[in-house]
Amino acid sequence: MSTASVPLPNWITYGLMPFLNLVVAFLISGVVVWFIGENPLEAVKLLLQGALGNGEGIGFTLYYATNFIFTGLSVAVAYHAGLFNIGSEGQAYVGGLGAALASLALDHYVPWYVTMPFAVIGAAIFGAAWALIPAWLQAKRGSHIVITTIMFNFIGAAMMVYLLVHVLIVPGKMAPETRVFLEGGQLPKLDWLIALFGGRLGAAPFNVSFLIALVMCVAVWLLIWRTKLGYEIRTLGASSTAAVYAGIPYVKTVIITMLISGGLAGMMALNPVLGASARLQVEFVGGAGFVGIAVSLMGRSHPLGIVLAAVLFGVLYQGGDALSFDMPKITRDMIVVIQGLVILFAGALEYLFRPAIVRVWQRFGKA
């Protein structure tokens, strides 16, 4: 029997294998750091101090993690249906338009907690709408979802630049961005949450969208594992032929799944647009859609795993900035290399150690 088909306990599949991949990625990163003349252990210490050493660092880490939770959930929902949504970047970008329009329309008249649900719905609808055409092309015409979604990233970016430069820009200003939202259109910071642990948030833009992301984790878990639609999504992902034979509507399931996936990606815009900058800007997504792919793979497309993986990448982002400041030899490009190694082992090489683990498990685990 092939090792790929041998069942393993969940603690191995969802715990041990990701941990081993992560350890190997950091060991290789340590070799790279040592090769350029720096102490790998000191680099790890500085990275962790920058990300988790004070309230402000934790705030920035969780701010980045919030982005990755949304995009990771987006990729995961589609992945459960056997669809590889590469378009979370563009869907989040367009979702920002929906969130911004809600804030621009309401911030003069109502407090933030009234604006927030409209912004959430607007971001989700716009993100879902950007996923609709690729979903329809996959379901009705057989166009591969990877090709169509990644192409829509470029189309969405061009459309957003046009809107910000020619339609939404503040008259008389050069910067391609909307006006700053009033307090009624901004998400408040979660400084009280950091204060509970004795820290100060400082300048970190850690905000209410983090709580929304956690709610979405619970919602996705309920959807995938506790509903009829979730069962149909998982069945389609396991075998589309068997799903159709069993009476599961292929076209309907693919389109609904991609709409949910796009909606989750669109909601990522709440964090930078309403929480951090309080305005819609060019390229605010900053690659979070692509990082979400690695987060989903490392988290095994499970909401809990996605949260943990998102925090890990948040540590790498925030700690990497601090590390490059304290160790000038470790440039921002070096941090990208480390992130790339984590993505490599969490994604492309995620089952690198499975054959060896299967042999050890078969020999000793069942004894």
Side-chain angles (χ1 to χ4, degrees), residues 170-225:
V170 178
K173 294 288 185 70
M174 292 294 293
E177 59 186 27
T178 65
R179 66 168 174 82
V180 175
F181 307 144
L182 301 180
E183 189 174 342
Q186 301 180 28
L187 295 180
K189 290 184 176 183
L190 292 179
D191 46 0
W192 57 268
L193 184 58
I194 301 298
L196 287 178
F197 300 93
R200 294 181 66 255
L201 188 59
F206 180 48
N207 61 81
V208 170
S209 61
F210 175 73
L211 302 180
I212 300 174
L214 295 183
V215 170
M216 289 301 107
C217 287
V218 176
V220 168
W221 181 82
L222 291 172
L223 168 69
I224 298 298
W225 283 281

Short mmCIF file of all heavy atoms in Angstrom, two decimals, residues 170-225:
data_model
loop_
_atom_site.label_atom_id
_atom_site.label_comp_id
_atom_site.label_asym_id
_atom_site.label_seq_id
_atom_site.Cartn_x
_atom_site.Cartn_y
_atom_site.Cartn_z
N VAL A 170 -9.90 62.35 -3.48
CA VAL A 170 -10.34 63.63 -2.92
C VAL A 170 -9.95 64.74 -3.90
O VAL A 170 -8.79 64.83 -4.30
CB VAL A 170 -9.68 63.87 -1.55
CG1 VAL A 170 -10.10 65.23 -0.99
CG2 VAL A 170 -10.03 62.76 -0.58
N PRO A 171 -10.91 65.58 -4.32
CA PRO A 171 -10.59 66.65 -5.27
C PRO A 171 -9.46 67.55 -4.76
O PRO A 171 -9.44 67.97 -3.60
CB PRO A 171 -11.91 67.44 -5.37
CG PRO A 171 -12.97 66.43 -5.01
CD PRO A 171 -12.35 65.55 -3.99
N GLY A 172 -8.50 67.78 -5.64
CA GLY A 172 -7.37 68.64 -5.29
C GLY A 172 -6.20 67.92 -4.65
O GLY A 172 -5.16 68.53 -4.38
N LYS A 173 -6.36 66.63 -4.37
CA LYS A 173 -5.28 65.84 -3.77
C LYS A 173 -4.58 65.01 -4.84
O LYS A 173 -5.16 64.63 -5.84
CB LYS A 173 -5.84 64.92 -2.68
CG LYS A 173 -6.40 65.64 -1.47
CD LYS A 173 -5.29 66.23 -0.62
CE LYS A 173 -5.82 66.85 0.66
NZ LYS A 173 -6.30 65.82 1.60
N MET A 174 -3.31 64.71 -4.61
CA MET A 174 -2.54 63.89 -5.53
C MET A 174 -2.61 62.40 -5.19
O MET A 174 -2.54 61.54 -6.06
CB MET A 174 -1.06 64.34 -5.52
CG MET A 174 -0.83 65.72 -6.12
SD MET A 174 -1.18 65.78 -7.88
CE MET A 174 0.12 64.74 -8.51
N ALA A 175 -2.74 62.09 -3.91
CA ALA A 175 -2.72 60.70 -3.46
C ALA A 175 -3.97 59.97 -3.93
O ALA A 175 -5.10 60.46 -3.71
CB ALA A 175 -2.61 60.63 -1.95
N PRO A 176 -3.82 58.80 -4.58
CA PRO A 176 -4.99 58.04 -5.04
C PRO A 176 -5.64 57.29 -3.88
O PRO A 176 -5.41 56.10 -3.67
CB PRO A 176 -4.39 57.09 -6.07
CG PRO A 176 -2.99 56.87 -5.62
CD PRO A 176 -2.55 58.15 -4.98
N GLU A 177 -6.46 57.99 -3.13
CA GLU A 177 -7.13 57.41 -1.97
C GLU A 177 -8.40 58.19 -1.68
O GLU A 177 -8.58 59.32 -2.15
CB GLU A 177 -6.20 57.43 -0.75
CG GLU A 177 -5.75 58.83 -0.36
CD GLU A 177 -4.72 58.83 0.75
OE1 GLU A 177 -3.99 57.83 0.88
OE2 GLU A 177 -4.65 59.83 1.48
N THR A 178 -9.28 57.56 -0.89
CA THR A 178 -10.51 58.25 -0.50
C THR A 178 -10.20 59.23 0.63
O THR A 178 -9.08 59.26 1.16
CB THR A 178 -11.56 57.24 -0.02
OG1 THR A 178 -11.09 56.61 1.19
CG2 THR A 178 -11.84 56.19 -1.07
N ARG A 179 -11.20 59.99 1.02
CA ARG A 179 -11.04 60.82 2.21
C ARG A 179 -10.92 59.92 3.44
O ARG A 179 -11.31 58.76 3.42
CB ARG A 179 -12.22 61.78 2.36
CG ARG A 179 -13.55 61.09 2.65
CD ARG A 179 -14.61 62.10 3.07
NE ARG A 179 -15.93 61.51 3.23
CZ ARG A 179 -16.33 60.86 4.31
NH1 ARG A 179 -15.52 60.69 5.33
NH2 ARG A 179 -17.57 60.37 4.37
N VAL A 180 -10.38 60.48 4.51
CA VAL A 180 -10.28 59.74 5.77
C VAL A 180 -11.68 59.60 6.36
O VAL A 180 -12.46 60.56 6.41
CB VAL A 180 -9.35 60.47 6.75
CG1 VAL A 180 -9.34 59.76 8.11
CG2 VAL A 180 -7.95 60.56 6.19
N PHE A 181 -12.02 58.39 6.78
CA PHE A 181 -13.34 58.15 7.38
C PHE A 181 -13.42 58.86 8.73
O PHE A 181 -12.44 58.93 9.49
CB PHE A 181 -13.58 56.66 7.60
CG PHE A 181 -13.38 55.81 6.38
CD1 PHE A 181 -12.83 54.54 6.48
CD2 PHE A 181 -13.75 56.28 5.12
CE1 PHE A 181 -12.64 53.76 5.36
CE2 PHE A 181 -13.55 55.51 3.99
CZ PHE A 181 -13.00 54.24 4.11
N LEU A 182 -14.60 59.36 9.04
CA LEU A 182 -14.84 59.92 10.36
C LEU A 182 -14.91 58.79 11.38
O LEU A 182 -14.89 57.60 11.04
CB LEU A 182 -16.13 60.73 10.36
CG LEU A 182 -16.20 61.89 9.35
CD1 LEU A 182 -17.53 62.61 9.45
CD2 LEU A 182 -15.05 62.86 9.59
N GLU A 183 -15.00 59.13 12.63
CA GLU A 183 -14.98 58.12 13.69
C GLU A 183 -16.09 57.09 13.52
O GLU A 183 -15.92 55.92 13.87
CB GLU A 183 -15.10 58.81 15.06
CG GLU A 183 -14.87 57.87 16.22
CD GLU A 183 -14.83 58.60 17.56
OE1 GLU A 183 -14.65 59.83 17.56
OE2 GLU A 183 -15.00 57.92 18.60
N GLY A 184 -17.22 57.52 12.96
CA GLY A 184 -18.33 56.60 12.75
C GLY A 184 -18.06 55.56 11.68
O GLY A 184 -18.82 54.59 11.54
N GLY A 185 -16.98 55.71 10.91
CA GLY A 185 -16.64 54.75 9.88
C GLY A 185 -15.35 54.00 10.15
O GLY A 185 -14.83 53.33 9.26
N GLN A 186 -14.86 54.10 11.38
CA GLN A 186 -13.61 53.42 11.74
C GLN A 186 -13.88 52.32 12.76
O GLN A 186 -14.77 52.46 13.61
CB GLN A 186 -12.61 54.42 12.34
CG GLN A 186 -12.24 55.57 11.43
CD GLN A 186 -11.25 56.52 12.09
OE1 GLN A 186 -10.47 56.14 12.95
NE2 GLN A 186 -11.28 57.78 11.67
N LEU A 187 -13.09 51.27 12.68
CA LEU A 187 -13.16 50.21 13.69
C LEU A 187 -12.22 50.56 14.83
O LEU A 187 -11.04 50.85 14.60
CB LEU A 187 -12.77 48.85 13.09
CG LEU A 187 -13.71 48.31 12.01
CD1 LEU A 187 -13.20 46.95 11.50
CD2 LEU A 187 -15.12 48.16 12.54
N PRO A 188 -12.70 50.53 16.07
CA PRO A 188 -11.85 50.93 17.21
C PRO A 188 -10.76 49.91 17.49
O PRO A 188 -10.88 48.72 17.18
CB PRO A 188 -12.85 51.02 18.37
CG PRO A 188 -13.96 50.11 17.98
CD PRO A 188 -14.07 50.19 16.49
N LYS A 189 -9.69 50.40 18.11
CA LYS A 189 -8.60 49.52 18.50
C LYS A 189 -8.99 48.64 19.69
O LYS A 189 -9.87 49.00 20.48
CB LYS A 189 -7.35 50.34 18.85
CG LYS A 189 -6.68 51.04 17.69
CD LYS A 189 -5.41 51.73 18.14
CE LYS A 189 -4.66 52.37 16.98
NZ LYS A 189 -3.39 52.99 17.42
N LEU A 190 -8.30 47.53 19.80
CA LEU A 190 -8.52 46.62 20.93
C LEU A 190 -7.44 46.84 21.98
O LEU A 190 -6.82 45.89 22.48
CB LEU A 190 -8.50 45.17 20.44
CG LEU A 190 -9.67 44.74 19.54
CD1 LEU A 190 -9.51 43.29 19.10
CD2 LEU A 190 -11.01 44.93 20.25
N ASP A 191 -7.23 48.11 22.34
CA ASP A 191 -6.22 48.39 23.36
C ASP A 191 -6.58 47.79 24.71
O ASP A 191 -5.71 47.39 25.48
CB ASP A 191 -6.00 49.91 23.48
CG ASP A 191 -7.31 50.68 23.54
OD1 ASP A 191 -8.39 50.07 23.48
OD2 ASP A 191 -7.23 51.92 23.65
N TRP A 192 -7.89 47.69 24.99
CA TRP A 192 -8.32 47.10 26.26
C TRP A 192 -7.93 45.62 26.36
O TRP A 192 -7.64 45.11 27.45
CB TRP A 192 -9.84 47.24 26.42
CG TRP A 192 -10.64 46.61 25.29
CD1 TRP A 192 -11.06 47.22 24.16
CD2 TRP A 192 -11.06 45.25 25.21
NE1 TRP A 192 -11.75 46.33 23.36
CE2 TRP A 192 -11.77 45.12 23.99
CE3 TRP A 192 -10.95 44.14 26.04
CZ2 TRP A 192 -12.34 43.91 23.59
CZ3 TRP A 192 -11.52 42.93 25.65
CH2 TRP A 192 -12.21 42.83 24.43
N LEU A 193 -7.90 44.93 25.21
CA LEU A 193 -7.54 43.51 25.22
C LEU A 193 -6.06 43.33 25.57
O LEU A 193 -5.69 42.45 26.35
CB LEU A 193 -7.84 42.89 23.86
CG LEU A 193 -7.60 41.39 23.72
CD1 LEU A 193 -8.44 40.61 24.73
CD2 LEU A 193 -7.95 40.92 22.30
N ILE A 194 -5.21 44.17 24.99
CA ILE A 194 -3.78 44.12 25.31
C ILE A 194 -3.56 44.55 26.76
O ILE A 194 -2.71 43.99 27.47
CB ILE A 194 -2.98 45.01 24.36
CG1 ILE A 194 -3.17 44.56 22.90
CG2 ILE A 194 -1.50 44.99 24.72
CD1 ILE A 194 -2.69 43.17 22.60
N ALA A 195 -4.35 45.52 27.24
CA ALA A 195 -4.21 46.01 28.62
C ALA A 195 -4.55 44.93 29.64
O ALA A 195 -4.02 44.94 30.75
CB ALA A 195 -5.09 47.24 28.83
N LEU A 196 -5.43 44.00 29.27
CA LEU A 196 -5.77 42.90 30.18
C LEU A 196 -4.54 42.08 30.55
O LEU A 196 -4.49 41.48 31.63
CB LEU A 196 -6.82 41.99 29.54
CG LEU A 196 -8.25 42.51 29.44
CD1 LEU A 196 -9.14 41.50 28.73
CD2 LEU A 196 -8.81 42.82 30.82
N PHE A 197 -3.57 42.05 29.67
CA PHE A 197 -2.34 41.29 29.91
C PHE A 197 -1.18 42.18 30.32
O PHE A 197 -0.02 41.78 30.26
CB PHE A 197 -1.98 40.50 28.64
CG PHE A 197 -3.05 39.53 28.22
CD1 PHE A 197 -4.02 39.91 27.30
CD2 PHE A 197 -3.11 38.26 28.77
CE1 PHE A 197 -5.02 39.03 26.91
CE2 PHE A 197 -4.12 37.38 28.40
CZ PHE A 197 -5.07 37.76 27.46
N GLY A 198 -1.52 43.41 30.71
CA GLY A 198 -0.50 44.32 31.23
C GLY A 198 0.32 45.02 30.18
O GLY A 198 1.38 45.58 30.51
N GLY A 199 -0.11 45.04 28.94
CA GLY A 199 0.65 45.68 27.87
C GLY A 199 -0.01 46.96 27.38
O GLY A 199 -1.15 47.27 27.75
N ARG A 200 0.71 47.69 26.55
CA ARG A 200 0.20 48.91 25.92
C ARG A 200 0.26 48.73 24.41
O ARG A 200 1.29 48.36 23.86
CB ARG A 200 1.01 50.13 26.34
CG ARG A 200 0.88 50.47 27.82
CD ARG A 200 1.68 51.71 28.21
NE ARG A 200 1.16 52.91 27.56
CZ ARG A 200 1.75 53.52 26.54
NH1 ARG A 200 2.86 53.03 26.01
NH2 ARG A 200 1.22 54.60 26.02
N LEU A 201 -0.86 49.02 23.76
CA LEU A 201 -0.96 48.79 22.32
C LEU A 201 -0.09 49.75 21.52
O LEU A 201 0.43 49.38 20.45
CB LEU A 201 -2.42 48.91 21.88
CG LEU A 201 -2.75 48.52 20.45
CD1 LEU A 201 -2.35 47.07 20.19
CD2 LEU A 201 -4.24 48.71 20.16
N GLY A 202 0.08 50.95 22.02
CA GLY A 202 0.91 51.93 21.32
C GLY A 202 0.35 52.28 19.95
O GLY A 202 -0.85 52.52 19.79
N ALA A 203 1.21 52.25 18.94
CA ALA A 203 0.81 52.65 17.59
C ALA A 203 0.25 51.50 16.76
O ALA A 203 -0.12 51.69 15.61
CB ALA A 203 2.00 53.26 16.85
N ALA A 204 0.20 50.30 17.33
CA ALA A 204 -0.26 49.14 16.57
C ALA A 204 -1.73 49.29 16.20
O ALA A 204 -2.55 49.67 17.04
CB ALA A 204 -0.06 47.86 17.38
N PRO A 205 -2.11 48.98 14.96
CA PRO A 205 -3.50 49.16 14.50
C PRO A 205 -4.40 47.94 14.77
O PRO A 205 -5.31 47.65 14.01
CB PRO A 205 -3.32 49.40 13.00
CG PRO A 205 -2.12 48.58 12.64
CD PRO A 205 -1.22 48.61 13.84
N PHE A 206 -4.12 47.21 15.83
CA PHE A 206 -4.90 46.03 16.21
C PHE A 206 -6.31 46.46 16.57
O PHE A 206 -6.52 47.24 17.49
CB PHE A 206 -4.20 45.35 17.39
CG PHE A 206 -4.88 44.12 17.90
CD1 PHE A 206 -5.30 43.12 17.05
CD2 PHE A 206 -5.07 43.95 19.27
CE1 PHE A 206 -5.92 41.98 17.54
CE2 PHE A 206 -5.66 42.82 19.77
CZ PHE A 206 -6.09 41.83 18.90
N ASN A 207 -7.32 45.93 15.86
CA ASN A 207 -8.68 46.46 15.98
C ASN A 207 -9.75 45.37 16.01
O ASN A 207 -9.43 44.17 16.01
CB ASN A 207 -8.94 47.45 14.84
CG ASN A 207 -8.84 46.78 13.48
OD1 ASN A 207 -9.77 46.14 13.01
ND2 ASN A 207 -7.67 46.91 12.84
N VAL A 208 -10.99 45.79 16.02
CA VAL A 208 -12.14 44.91 16.20
C VAL A 208 -12.24 43.84 15.11
O VAL A 208 -12.86 42.79 15.32
CB VAL A 208 -13.43 45.75 16.26
CG1 VAL A 208 -14.69 44.89 16.20
CG2 VAL A 208 -13.45 46.58 17.55
N SER A 209 -11.64 44.07 13.95
CA SER A 209 -11.73 43.08 12.88
C SER A 209 -11.11 41.74 13.30
O SER A 209 -11.45 40.69 12.75
CB SER A 209 -11.04 43.59 11.61
OG SER A 209 -9.68 43.85 11.83
N PHE A 210 -10.21 41.75 14.28
CA PHE A 210 -9.66 40.50 14.81
C PHE A 210 -10.77 39.63 15.41
O PHE A 210 -10.81 38.41 15.20
CB PHE A 210 -8.60 40.80 15.87
CG PHE A 210 -8.06 39.58 16.57
CD1 PHE A 210 -7.21 38.70 15.91
CD2 PHE A 210 -8.40 39.31 17.89
CE1 PHE A 210 -6.71 37.57 16.56
CE2 PHE A 210 -7.91 38.20 18.54
CZ PHE A 210 -7.07 37.32 17.88
N LEU A 211 -11.69 40.25 16.14
CA LEU A 211 -12.80 39.51 16.73
C LEU A 211 -13.74 39.00 15.63
O LEU A 211 -14.27 37.89 15.73
CB LEU A 211 -13.56 40.41 17.71
CG LEU A 211 -12.74 40.98 18.87
CD1 LEU A 211 -13.62 41.85 19.77
CD2 LEU A 211 -12.09 39.86 19.67
N ILE A 212 -13.93 39.81 14.59
CA ILE A 212 -14.75 39.36 13.46
C ILE A 212 -14.11 38.15 12.80
O ILE A 212 -14.79 37.19 12.42
CB ILE A 212 -14.93 40.50 12.44
CG1 ILE A 212 -15.63 41.70 13.10
CG2 ILE A 212 -15.74 40.04 11.23
CD1 ILE A 212 -15.72 42.93 12.22
N ALA A 213 -12.79 38.16 12.67
CA ALA A 213 -12.08 37.03 12.07
C ALA A 213 -12.29 35.76 12.89
O ALA A 213 -12.50 34.67 12.34
CB ALA A 213 -10.59 37.34 11.95
N LEU A 214 -12.25 35.87 14.21
CA LEU A 214 -12.47 34.70 15.06
C LEU A 214 -13.90 34.18 14.93
O LEU A 214 -14.13 32.96 14.93
CB LEU A 214 -12.16 35.05 16.52
CG LEU A 214 -10.71 35.42 16.84
CD1 LEU A 214 -10.55 35.67 18.34
CD2 LEU A 214 -9.75 34.32 16.38
N VAL A 215 -14.84 35.09 14.82
CA VAL A 215 -16.24 34.67 14.60
C VAL A 215 -16.37 33.92 13.27
O VAL A 215 -17.07 32.92 13.17
CB VAL A 215 -17.18 35.91 14.62
CG1 VAL A 215 -18.59 35.52 14.15
CG2 VAL A 215 -17.24 36.50 16.02
N MET A 216 -15.66 34.40 12.25
CA MET A 216 -15.70 33.72 10.96
C MET A 216 -15.07 32.33 11.03
O MET A 216 -15.49 31.41 10.32
CB MET A 216 -14.98 34.56 9.90
CG MET A 216 -15.72 35.83 9.49
SD MET A 216 -17.38 35.47 8.82
CE MET A 216 -18.40 36.03 10.20
N CYS A 217 -14.07 32.17 11.90
CA CYS A 217 -13.47 30.83 12.09
C CYS A 217 -14.52 29.85 12.61
O CYS A 217 -14.63 28.72 12.11
CB CYS A 217 -12.30 30.91 13.06
SG CYS A 217 -10.82 31.68 12.39
N VAL A 218 -15.27 30.29 13.60
CA VAL A 218 -16.32 29.43 14.15
C VAL A 218 -17.39 29.16 13.09
O VAL A 218 -17.87 28.03 12.94
CB VAL A 218 -16.95 30.09 15.40
CG1 VAL A 218 -18.12 29.25 15.92
CG2 VAL A 218 -15.91 30.27 16.50
N ALA A 219 -17.76 30.20 12.33
CA ALA A 219 -18.78 30.05 11.30
C ALA A 219 -18.33 29.06 10.22
O ALA A 219 -19.12 28.23 9.76
CB ALA A 219 -19.10 31.41 10.68
N VAL A 220 -17.07 29.14 9.81
CA VAL A 220 -16.56 28.21 8.79
C VAL A 220 -16.53 26.78 9.33
O VAL A 220 -16.88 25.83 8.62
CB VAL A 220 -15.15 28.65 8.32
CG1 VAL A 220 -14.49 27.55 7.50
CG2 VAL A 220 -15.26 29.93 7.49
N TRP A 221 -16.13 26.61 10.59
CA TRP A 221 -16.13 25.27 11.18
C TRP A 221 -17.54 24.69 11.19
O TRP A 221 -17.74 23.53 10.83
CB TRP A 221 -15.57 25.34 12.60
CG TRP A 221 -15.53 23.98 13.26
CD1 TRP A 221 -14.57 23.03 13.11
CD2 TRP A 221 -16.50 23.44 14.16
NE1 TRP A 221 -14.90 21.91 13.86
CE2 TRP A 221 -16.07 22.14 14.51
CE3 TRP A 221 -17.70 23.93 14.69
CZ2 TRP A 221 -16.80 21.32 15.38
CZ3 TRP A 221 -18.42 23.12 15.56
CH2 TRP A 221 -17.98 21.84 15.90
N LEU A 222 -18.50 25.49 11.59
CA LEU A 222 -19.89 25.01 11.60
C LEU A 222 -20.35 24.69 10.18
O LEU A 222 -21.02 23.67 9.96
CB LEU A 222 -20.80 26.07 12.22
CG LEU A 222 -20.62 26.31 13.74
CD1 LEU A 222 -21.45 27.51 14.18
CD2 LEU A 222 -21.03 25.07 14.52
N LEU A 223 -20.01 25.55 9.23
CA LEU A 223 -20.42 25.34 7.85
C LEU A 223 -19.85 24.04 7.29
O LEU A 223 -20.60 23.21 6.74
CB LEU A 223 -19.96 26.51 6.98
CG LEU A 223 -20.07 26.30 5.46
CD1 LEU A 223 -21.52 26.25 5.04
CD2 LEU A 223 -19.30 27.38 4.71
N ILE A 224 -18.57 23.84 7.42
CA ILE A 224 -17.90 22.71 6.76
C ILE A 224 -18.22 21.38 7.44
O ILE A 224 -18.41 20.36 6.76
CB ILE A 224 -16.37 22.94 6.72
CG1 ILE A 224 -16.04 24.19 5.89
CG2 ILE A 224 -15.67 21.71 6.13
CD1 ILE A 224 -16.47 24.11 4.44
N TRP A 225 -18.32 21.36 8.76
CA TRP A 225 -18.45 20.09 9.47
C TRP A 225 -19.79 19.86 10.15
O TRP A 225 -20.01 18.80 10.73
CB TRP A 225 -17.33 19.95 10.49
CG TRP A 225 -16.03 19.59 9.86
CD1 TRP A 225 -15.62 18.36 9.44
CD2 TRP A 225 -14.95 20.48 9.54
NE1 TRP A 225 -14.37 18.42 8.88
CE2 TRP A 225 -13.92 19.70 8.94
CE3 TRP A 225 -14.75 21.84 9.72
CZ2 TRP A 225 -12.73 20.26 8.51
CZ3 TRP A 225 -13.56 22.39 9.30
CH2 TRP A 225 -12.57 21.61 8.70
#
